[in-house]
Amino acid sequence: MYNKLLLAILPLFLIYFSAISQEYNNEFGIVSDNDAYLFYGQDRYYTNGLFIYYRRAVDQHKLGDNLEKLTYELSVGQKMYTPLSGYGPDPRTHDRPFAGYLYGKAQVNFFNQKEHVWKIALALGTSGPNSLASGTQNLIHTTVGLYKTSGWDYQIQNEAAANLDVQYTALLHRNSAKSVDFSLESYAQLGTVFNGAGLALVFRTGNINQLFHSSYHSATISQNNKTKKLQERELYFYARPQINYVAYDATIQGSLFTNNSPITFSVRPFVFEQRIGLNYATARFTLDYSLTFRAREIKSSARPHQYGSITAYYRFN
């Protein structure tokens, strides 16, 4: 009887452990940002974002000695912004412009063996009515039974969008138990939509992997790994306080070259934000939930704002 039970259970164990050790070199996923994920009825400013990602890892045996991993990434995304309320028929009540941003992005990610990470991306798209943001928000509100929006007639006008984004991260310290680490994260943006830079300190604690294997950097995919992971599964809490320097934001200020938008505002040059989150990742899946708290960023009566993010990734060969 016990032998039969063992024979019945053994294949399940083999499937389970093979799944843990399996490498997957492709990843597909969705990230959804929305202030409704805070669960207290807020609906303002950066009110919704939806992003679809595809990533692929290069054969690591073909990389140089110092480069641990190289991945390519393609994504499409849409961001939408409103004043304090999505119902704003009177433009005199607007404390932020209605605005949309739709883009496609190509990105390459370099992971150094010393846990330095470079991410370089080029995004092309459009802001304004061509971003389809007003239709998307109306569809969402109709689907879930929210109020009817009004005010998109005053949105930021159409403008071709091109943006170059560069991000650099370096590990600062990881404790001997491999359960806590700190890293320094920086970025710079240059283009027709966003211009600026930022610096953040990233804290993680729990079952964490090296930066070149971690779901935090979407680095779980691999092809012929050079270095063994610290953990087969990750489960960790993270916090990221960040200071941003905003040189230009077309979703607030309108076109960088010809400002023909009916309502625009100036930006506050320095904006603090805090992100906290919980991440769980296996060989196949990543699930992440985070909250972002952002200080006042507009020279108007606009308040600080917050939003939540839900991430789901699936890996395959």
Side-chain angles (χ1 to χ4, degrees):
M1 176 179 176
Y2 291 108
N3 289 339
K4 291 181 179 179
L5 182 61
L6 180 61
L7 290 173
I9 294 176
L10 184 59
L12 298 177
F13 277 99
L14 292 176
I15 292 172
Y16 175 78
F17 286 109
S18 65
I20 288 179
S21 59
Q22 177 70 48
E23 280 189 348
Y24 298 102
N25 59 5
N26 295 275
E27 183 175 66
F28 174 82
I30 297 177
V31 177
S32 176
D33 297 341
N34 199 294
D35 43 13
Y37 299 152
L38 298 171
F39 305 108
Y40 64 86
Q42 177 182 290
D43 188 24
R44 66 181 186 231
Y45 307 142
Y46 176 46
T47 186
N48 189 75
L50 182 64
F51 315 94
I52 300 173
Y53 292 89
Y54 168 74
R55 300 184 181 92
R56 181 174 178 83
V58 172
D59 186 346
Q60 291 160 248
H61 286 175
K62 298 179 180 180
L63 303 177
D65 293 338
N66 295 326
L67 195 59
E68 175 69 29
K69 187 178 290 185
L70 174 65
T71 66
Y72 294 103
E73 177 178 313
L74 297 173
S75 63
V76 292
Q78 183 192 55
K79 296 182 177 183
M80 66 179 67
Y81 305 84
T82 70
L84 184 63
S85 171
Y87 182 77
D90 184 351
R92 293 172 297 179
T93 66
H94 296 186
D95 55 358
R96 191 208 198 283
F98 283 86
Y101 175 43
L102 179 69
Y103 67 88
K105 181 188 291 186
Q107 180 167 307
V108 60
N109 307 305
F110 302 89
F111 299 90
N112 187 279
Q113 287 191 341
K114 294 183 179 180
E115 300 192 56
H116 296 182
V117 182
W118 283 95
K119 299 181 180 182
I120 304 172
L122 176 64
L124 301 175
T126 181
S127 57
N130 287 343
S131 70
L132 308 177
S134 61
T136 301
Q137 188 178 47
N138 287 328
L139 177 62
I140 293 172
H141 280 221
T142 300
T143 302
V144 302
L146 294 177
Y147 62 88
K148 183 178 180 180
T149 64
S150 177
W152 281 99
D153 291 340
Y154 304 100
Q155 69 177 298
I156 296 296
Q157 294 303 294
N158 287 324
E159 182 74 19
N163 240 83
L164 178 66
D165 301 339
V166 178
Q167 180 179 312
Y168 172 71
T169 304
L171 178 69
L172 297 178
H173 174 74
R174 182 173 296 123
N175 69 345
S176 58
K178 313 299 184 184
S179 60
V180 175
D181 67 15
F182 295 88
S183 55
L184 191 67
E185 189 174 288
S186 60
Y187 77 88
Q189 296 176 301
L190 180 65
T192 63
V193 183
F194 302 114
N195 286 290
L199 189 65
L201 180 66
V202 181
F203 163 77
R204 301 188 303 162
T205 182
N207 293 334
I208 55 177
N209 268 320
Q210 305 98 315
L211 300 187
F212 51 70
H213 282 320
S214 181
S215 55
Y216 181 84
H217 282 287
S218 300
T220 308
I221 54 173
S222 59
Q223 189 174 170
N224 296 317
N225 264 330
K226 293 182 177 182
T227 306
K228 183 179 174 58
K229 296 179 179 180
L230 297 176
Q231 307 285 344
E232 291 296 341
R233 298 182 179 217
E234 288 187 291
L235 176 61
Y236 57 87
F237 167 84
Y238 62 92
R240 189 196 69 183
Q242 179 169 293
I243 184 68
N244 303 284
Y245 170 69
V246 182
Y248 203 89
D249 184 338
T251 71
I252 299 171
Q253 297 171 276
S255 170
L256 184 62
F257 305 107
T258 305
N259 188 2
N260 58 351
S261 299
I263 298 175
T264 59
F265 295 94
S266 297
V267 295
R268 294 179 180 273
F270 293 98
V271 180
F272 176 78
E273 72 175 39
Q274 170 71 63
R275 171 171 289 186
I276 58 173
L278 184 66
N279 186 291
Y280 174 68
T282 67
R284 278 278 194 188
F285 299 98
T286 294
L287 295 174
D288 184 282
Y289 177 70
S290 67
L291 301 175
T292 299
F293 306 89
R294 193 170 174 91
R296 295 177 63 189
E297 56 184 343
I298 307 166
K299 289 183 177 179
S300 72
S301 59
R303 312 169 188 175
H305 70 284
Q306 309 84 32
Y307 63 91
S309 300
I310 297 174
T311 298
Y313 291 128
Y314 172 74
R315 289 173 280 278
F316 58 96
N317 285 326

